[in-house]
Coordinates of all heavy atoms in Angstrom, one line a residue:
R1 N 45.7 -19.1 13.3 CA 44.8 -19.9 12.4 C 43.5 -19.1 12.1 O 43.0 -19.2 11.0 CB 44.4 -21.2 13.1 CG 45.5 -22.3 13.2 CD 46.1 -22.6 11.8 NE 46.9 -23.8 11.9 CZ 47.7 -24.2 10.9 NH1 47.8 -23.5 9.8 NH2 48.4 -25.4 11.0
C2 N 43.1 -18.3 13.0 CA 41.8 -17.5 12.8 C 42.1 -16.5 11.7 O 41.3 -16.3 10.8 CB 41.4 -16.8 14.0 SG 39.9 -15.9 13.9
N3 N 43.3 -15.8 11.8 CA 43.6 -14.9 10.8 C 43.8 -15.5 9.4 O 43.3 -15.1 8.4 CB 45.0 -14.2 11.1 CG 44.8 -13.2 12.2 OD1 43.8 -12.5 12.4 ND2 45.8 -13.1 13.1
E4 N 44.5 -16.7 9.4 CA 44.8 -17.4 8.2 C 43.6 -18.1 7.5 O 43.4 -18.0 6.3 CB 45.8 -18.5 8.6 CG 46.1 -19.5 7.4 CD 47.0 -20.6 8.0 OE1 48.0 -20.4 8.8 OE2 46.7 -21.8 7.6
R5 N 42.7 -18.7 8.3 CA 41.6 -19.5 7.8 C 40.3 -18.9 7.8 O 39.4 -19.4 7.1 CB 41.6 -20.8 8.5 CG 42.8 -21.7 8.4 CD 42.7 -22.9 9.3 NE 43.9 -23.8 9.1 CZ 44.1 -24.9 9.8 NH1 43.1 -25.3 10.7 NH2 45.1 -25.7 9.6
V6 N 40.1 -17.8 8.6 CA 38.8 -17.1 8.6 C 38.9 -15.7 8.2 O 38.3 -15.4 7.1 CB 38.2 -17.2 10.1 CG1 36.9 -16.5 10.2 CG2 38.1 -18.7 10.6
K7 N 39.6 -14.8 8.9 CA 39.6 -13.4 8.5 C 40.2 -13.1 7.2 O 39.6 -12.4 6.4 CB 40.3 -12.6 9.6 CG 39.6 -12.7 11.0 CD 40.4 -12.0 12.1 CE 39.6 -12.1 13.4 NZ 40.5 -11.5 14.5
F8 N 41.3 -13.7 6.9 CA 42.0 -13.4 5.6 C 41.7 -14.4 4.6 O 42.3 -14.3 3.5 CB 43.6 -13.4 5.9 CG 44.0 -12.2 6.7 CD1 45.4 -12.1 7.0 CD2 43.2 -11.3 7.2 CE1 45.8 -11.0 7.8 CE2 43.6 -10.2 8.0 CZ 44.9 -10.1 8.3
K9 N 40.8 -15.2 4.8 CA 40.3 -16.2 3.8 C 38.8 -16.0 3.5 O 38.5 -15.3 2.5 CB 40.6 -17.6 4.2 CG 40.2 -18.7 3.1 CD 40.4 -20.1 3.6 CE 40.0 -21.1 2.5 NZ 40.0 -22.5 3.1
D10 N 38.0 -16.5 4.3 CA 36.5 -16.4 4.1 C 36.0 -14.9 4.1 O 35.2 -14.5 3.3 CB 35.7 -17.2 5.1 CG 36.0 -18.7 4.9 OD1 35.5 -19.3 4.0 OD2 36.8 -19.3 5.7
L11 N 36.5 -14.2 5.2 CA 36.0 -12.8 5.2 C 36.6 -12.0 4.1 O 35.8 -11.1 3.5 CB 36.5 -12.2 6.5 CG 36.1 -10.7 6.8 CD1 34.6 -10.4 6.6 CD2 36.5 -10.2 8.1
L12 N 37.8 -12.3 3.6 CA 38.4 -11.5 2.5 C 37.6 -11.8 1.3 O 37.3 -10.9 0.4 CB 39.9 -11.9 2.4 CG 40.7 -11.1 1.4 CD1 42.1 -11.0 2.0 CD2 40.8 -11.9 0.0
E13 N 37.2 -13.1 1.1 CA 36.4 -13.4 -0.1 C 35.0 -12.7 0.0 O 34.5 -12.3 -1.1 CB 36.2 -14.9 -0.2 CG 37.4 -15.7 -0.6 CD 38.1 -15.2 -1.9 OE1 37.2 -15.0 -2.9 OE2 39.3 -15.0 -1.9
T14 N 34.5 -12.6 1.2 CA 33.2 -11.9 1.3 C 33.4 -10.4 0.9 O 32.5 -9.8 0.3 CB 32.7 -12.0 2.8 OG1 32.4 -13.3 3.1 CG2 31.4 -11.1 3.0
A15 N 34.5 -9.8 1.3 CA 34.8 -8.4 0.9 C 34.8 -8.2 -0.6 O 34.3 -7.3 -1.2 CB 36.1 -8.0 1.5
K16 N 35.4 -9.2 -1.2 CA 35.5 -9.2 -2.8 C 34.0 -9.3 -3.3 O 33.7 -8.7 -4.3 CB 36.4 -10.3 -3.3 CG 37.9 -10.1 -3.0 CD 38.7 -11.2 -3.5 CE 40.2 -10.8 -3.3 NZ 41.1 -11.9 -3.8
D17 N 33.2 -10.2 -2.7 CA 31.8 -10.4 -3.1 C 31.0 -9.1 -3.0 O 30.1 -8.8 -3.7 CB 31.1 -11.5 -2.3 CG 31.7 -12.9 -2.6 OD1 32.3 -13.0 -3.8 OD2 31.5 -13.8 -1.8
L18 N 31.4 -8.2 -2.1 CA 30.8 -6.9 -1.8 C 31.4 -5.9 -2.7 O 31.1 -4.6 -2.6 CB 31.0 -6.5 -0.4 CG 30.2 -7.3 0.7 CD1 30.6 -7.0 2.1 CD2 28.7 -7.1 0.5
D19 N 32.2 -6.3 -3.7 CA 32.9 -5.4 -4.7 C 33.8 -4.4 -4.0 O 33.9 -3.2 -4.6 CB 31.8 -4.7 -5.5 CG 31.0 -5.6 -6.4 OD1 31.7 -6.6 -6.9 OD2 29.8 -5.4 -6.6
A20 N 34.4 -4.7 -2.9 CA 35.3 -3.8 -2.2 C 36.7 -3.8 -3.0 O 37.1 -4.8 -3.5 CB 35.5 -4.2 -0.8
D21 N 37.3 -2.7 -3.0 CA 38.6 -2.6 -3.6 C 39.7 -3.2 -2.7 O 40.7 -3.6 -3.2 CB 39.0 -1.1 -3.9 CG 38.1 -0.5 -4.9 OD1 38.3 -0.8 -6.1 OD2 37.2 0.3 -4.5
C22 N 39.4 -3.2 -1.4 CA 40.4 -3.7 -0.4 C 39.7 -4.0 0.9 O 38.5 -3.6 1.1 CB 41.6 -2.7 -0.2 SG 41.1 -1.2 0.6
M23 N 40.4 -4.7 1.8 CA 39.9 -4.9 3.2 C 40.9 -4.4 4.2 O 42.1 -4.6 4.0 CB 39.7 -6.4 3.5 CG 39.1 -6.7 4.8 SD 38.6 -8.5 5.0 CE 40.1 -9.0 5.8
A24 N 40.4 -3.6 5.1 CA 41.3 -3.0 6.2 C 41.0 -3.6 7.5 O 39.9 -4.0 7.8 CB 41.1 -1.5 6.2
T25 N 42.1 -3.8 8.4 CA 41.9 -4.3 9.7 C 42.7 -3.4 10.7 O 43.4 -2.5 10.3 CB 42.5 -5.7 9.8 OG1 43.9 -5.7 9.9 CG2 42.1 -6.6 8.6
G26 N 42.4 -3.6 11.9 CA 43.1 -2.8 13.0 C 44.4 -3.5 13.5 O 44.8 -3.1 14.6
H27 N 45.0 -4.4 12.7 CA 46.2 -5.1 13.2 C 47.4 -4.0 13.2 O 47.4 -3.2 12.3 CB 46.6 -6.2 12.3 CG 45.6 -7.4 12.5 ND1 44.7 -7.8 11.6 CD2 45.5 -8.3 13.5 CE1 44.1 -8.8 11.9 NE2 44.6 -9.2 13.1
Y28 N 48.3 -4.2 14.1 CA 49.5 -3.4 14.2 C 50.6 -4.1 13.4 O 51.4 -4.9 14.0 CB 49.9 -3.2 15.7 CG 49.0 -2.1 16.3 CD1 47.8 -2.6 17.0 CD2 49.3 -0.8 16.3 CE1 47.0 -1.6 17.6 CE2 48.4 0.1 16.9 CZ 47.3 -0.3 17.5 OH 46.4 0.6 18.1
I29 N 50.6 -3.8 12.1 CA 51.6 -4.3 11.2 C 51.6 -3.4 10.0 O 50.6 -2.7 9.8 CB 51.3 -5.8 10.8 CG1 52.5 -6.4 10.2 CG2 50.1 -5.9 9.9 CD1 52.4 -8.0 10.1
Q30 N 52.7 -3.4 9.2 CA 52.8 -2.4 8.1 C 52.8 -3.2 6.8 O 53.5 -4.2 6.6 CB 54.0 -1.5 8.3 CG 53.9 -0.6 9.5 CD 55.0 0.4 9.5 OE1 54.9 1.4 8.9 NE2 56.0 0.1 10.3
R31 N 52.1 -2.6 5.8 CA 52.3 -3.0 4.4 C 53.0 -2.0 3.6 O 52.5 -0.8 3.6 CB 50.8 -3.3 3.9 CG 50.7 -3.6 2.4 CD 49.3 -3.6 2.0 NE 49.1 -4.0 0.6 CZ 49.2 -3.2 -0.5 NH1 49.5 -1.9 -0.3 NH2 48.9 -3.6 -1.6
K32 N 54.1 -2.3 3.1 CA 54.9 -1.3 2.3 C 55.2 -1.9 0.9 O 55.3 -3.1 0.7 CB 56.3 -1.0 3.0 CG 56.1 -0.5 4.4 CD 57.5 -0.2 5.0 CE 57.3 0.5 6.4 NZ 58.7 0.8 7.0
M33 N 55.2 -0.9 0.0 CA 55.5 -1.3 -1.4 C 57.0 -1.5 -1.7 O 57.7 -0.6 -1.4 CB 54.9 -0.3 -2.4 CG 53.4 -0.3 -2.4 SD 52.6 -1.9 -2.8 CE 53.3 -2.1 -4.5
G34 N 57.4 -2.7 -2.1 CA 58.8 -2.9 -2.5 C 59.0 -3.1 -3.9 O 58.0 -2.9 -4.7
A35 N 60.2 -3.4 -4.4 CA 60.5 -3.6 -5.8 C 59.7 -4.7 -6.4 O 59.3 -4.6 -7.6 CB 62.0 -3.8 -6.0

């Protein structure tokens, strides 16, 4: 719930307010480009 409702929601919006191109975290998971 913390990831869903706080870090990846409110904090993510804050990152956009700071004109960031993206937000990075130290989670052990992979993001890969698919079709």
